[in-house]
Amino acid sequence: MKKSLFFGTLTAAGMVAGFAAAGTLEDVVARGELNCGVNTGLVGFAAPDANGNWSGFDVAICKAVAAAVLGDPNKVKYVPTSGQTRFTALASSEIDVLARNSTWTFTRDVDLKLDFVGVNYYDGQGFMVPKALGVSSAKELDGATICIQTGTTTELNLADFFKANNMTYSPIAIDSNAEGEQQYLAGACDAYTTDASGLAATRAAFATPSDHIILPEIISKEPLGPLVRHGDNQWGDIVRWTLNALIAAEEYGITSANLEELSKGSSNPEIDRLLGTSGDLGPMFGLDNLWAKRAIAASGNYGEIFAATIGESTPIGLARGLNAQWTQGGLLYTPPFR
Amino acid sequence: MAIATEPPKQGFRLSQLLYDTRYRSMTIQVVVMMMFMAFAAWLVDNTITNLAARGKDFNFGFLSVRSGYDIGQRLIAYDSDSTHARAMLVGLLNTLLVSFLGCLLAVAVGVTVGILRLSKNWLVARLMTIYVEVFRNVPVLLWILIFLAVLTEAAPLPNAFKEGGSASMLLFDSIAVTNRYTAVPDPLFSRSLGNIDIGIFLISSDLMALIAVVVAGWYARRLVLRRATAVQNATGERPVTWWKSVALLTLPAVLTLWALGFHLGYPSLQGFNFTGGINVSNAFMALWLALSLYTGAFIAEIVRAGVMAISNGQTEAAYALGLRPGRTMNLVILPQALRVIIPPLISQFLNLTKNSSLAIATGYLDLRGTLGGITLNQTGRELESVLLMMLIYLVLSLMISGVMNIYNASVKLKER
């Protein structure tokens, strides 16, 4: 009796664990809310405003996925994650998708059992120093004290860069961007290193951004993108193609301004398939045919999101660079919607 | 006609397990044991099921892989080409360092404050009360952050020590307190004995020689004192021993240092930072001071309680015998108070060691920062890292406890 009860409990626990691993789409629809892991606060990428509303480049991905799946871009619960907690949060199903300036690497993809669904920002690691330090190149940083976010790829790149250039440094491990900002401004470190986009975003939040420069060296490749748990391919496809839809929309000239007009039908069959006017792409992964239209309507196409959050007209002032469409000499290239 | 005289023989009934006091305690123990084992089995099974569901395995192979990250403060040779296991060792030594120095300072502070709190001087006693109450009633994490913030924000930048800068070094240009670290002179030996390679790391022979000489001096002093006591017991006159004690404790060390060619390497500002000395990071200083002062407040109370537990009659009796207050404290009160003080002191040492894992708040890379922080993150081996870390802290605590129990056995009241 006791034994059977015990095994019954075991089986039930096992089944609960089994169910939790599959069917993220069903979970999200049943919950009516998307749990999206974001940065604890990086202006331009993911940061809450005074009223607690999140906005930013990574947040726009969360909104687009929520719009595609749930029909409402605001049905997102933002879960702030640190460099240390983000992958555990995703692996333990605390969040459905992680959009937090995370670098796509082999071990994360393969060994951590996560799936990167694409790249939303091609980045590289850089250094920021106060102008007063009189340094103009990262090669002059021999012996410097450097603040670094722990649990990130930047930690490893930094070690490699200094080793390769036969230089020494003393690392100061910090846990979040806010802490790094505080330590850097207090002068506890000579230089602050993270992804160049992160440096630009951090500098934009300083009282006097012009007192600090970002050194020209980019010491690594940091393809940043959203990721999901490995094993649920349907959910992975949804997030992947939502990101692709945003990029494709820019390529085909679909903007929030002309979205309604184009969705009535256009001369381009690819636009028609994307916006659900023809074909049945949506039902193939368990959504309706208007998923991409809603995703684009959430905050516009990739270019609009970029311009509104981190582009040249914002305080962060990042140029498109590698993140331009392939037609413009950039790396953004989405597979066809067919 | 035979009458059955023997009592009715009743077989064992199941209900006896519950209602018969001979069996009941056994029943309860068996049930509790079964529940405990079921719970443990459920935990293990749940872990295995969930690991399988995520497609993860359980192995410690990651420990032999190149770590790839650097550690700012380290006691043994380490760079980014070393393995994760070595990074763990560096972290463990950092934990041991801050725990050991923390325990020393905490005891020094605690004993001083605990005795001063009993002072008849009103101001001193009240000041000590304020210290104890303020430190032990604010979470230690806040103290760590406060110390770190003060050191980071209040101390000058290293480059303020440049010629014509606003800051200057202390103690004949030997110590520089900056907002990153405190640069102190480095002990150097011009006739060094070299290092002993024990396979995992190097041990300085100079340090070993110094320790051996000091221990030998200490032992010699004990012999002298024992002889003095023997003379005193025989003749009633205690020979003067203080100068012998001082000589035995200091001369060997001084002579050894001279023989090894001891000198100090002074820190100087080169480029961004001080070099040539030892840079003790602010993270370490903040952690060490906060842990010591926090735990010291508890130890002060333990010491005070121990002293107050000794009846006042003992003091009066000692005075009546003509002992001066200092000797009364050392010869009568403290030996008795120690047996009250030691057991709670052990748990304070354990607390301090475990609290040192709060180093994560300062960026001081201890065991929690290396194995449980960066290694865990970079390899994604959460379960293995955390289990290993728990095991290490457990062994560490048991060792401290074991050593202190031996000491306790030696000072406790000998009963026959």
Side-chain angles (χ1 to χ4, degrees), chain B residues 186-206:
Chain B
D186 191 7
L188 297 171
F189 299 96
S190 54
R191 290 183 289 275
S192 176
L193 299 175
N195 295 318
I196 312 167
D197 192 347
I198 61 162
I200 309 168
F201 50 83
L202 302 171
I203 294 179
S204 158
S205 309
D206 306 315

Side-chain angles (χ1 to χ4, degrees), chain B residues 72-220:
Chain B
Q73 185 165 342
R74 54 189 182 259
L75 294 175
I76 58 174
Y78 170 90
D79 66 19
S80 57
D81 283 335
S82 307
T83 61
H84 280 296
R86 195 167 179 87
M88 176 183 85
L89 185 65
V90 171
L92 175 61
L93 288 174
N94 281 348
T95 292
L96 289 176
L97 178 72
V98 77
S99 305
F100 179 71
L101 293 178
C103 287
L104 283 188
L105 185 60
V107 167
V109 169
V111 171
T112 314
V113 171
I115 289 175
L116 284 182
R117 216 186 149 183
L118 293 168
S119 164
K120 291 197 178 63
N121 184 323
W122 186 88
L123 185 65
V124 169
R126 289 304 172 280
L127 278 178
M128 294 305 137
T129 307
I130 291 174
Y131 159 73
V132 168
E133 296 304 339
V134 167
F135 267 87
R136 70 172 182 169
N137 290 314
V138 173
V140 63
L141 179 60
L142 292 186
W143 281 119
I144 294 173
L145 292 175
I146 288 168
F147 276 92
L148 184 66
V150 168
L151 285 169
T152 309
E153 303 286 345
L157 283 162
N159 61 22
F161 288 88
K162 275 182 187 153
E163 290 291 320
S166 56
S168 57
M169 293 167 73
L170 308 170
L171 282 179
F172 310 109
D173 278 359
S174 63
I175 296 176
V177 181
T178 76
N179 69 343
R180 295 173 190 171
Y181 45 76
T182 302
V184 296
D186 191 7
L188 297 171
F189 299 96
S190 54
R191 290 183 289 275
S192 176
L193 299 175
N195 295 318
I196 312 167
D197 192 347
I198 61 162
I200 309 168
F201 50 83
L202 302 171
I203 294 179
S204 158
S205 309
D206 306 315
L207 185 65
M208 288 292 121
L210 199 58
I211 290 175
V213 166
V214 168
V215 170
W218 182 267
Y219 189 71

Side-chain angles (χ1 to χ4, degrees), chain B residues 338-348 408:
Chain B
L338 272 183
R339 68 194 164 87
V340 184
I341 292 173
I342 299 295
L345 195 62
I346 301 176
S347 85
Q348 288 307 325
N408 187 35

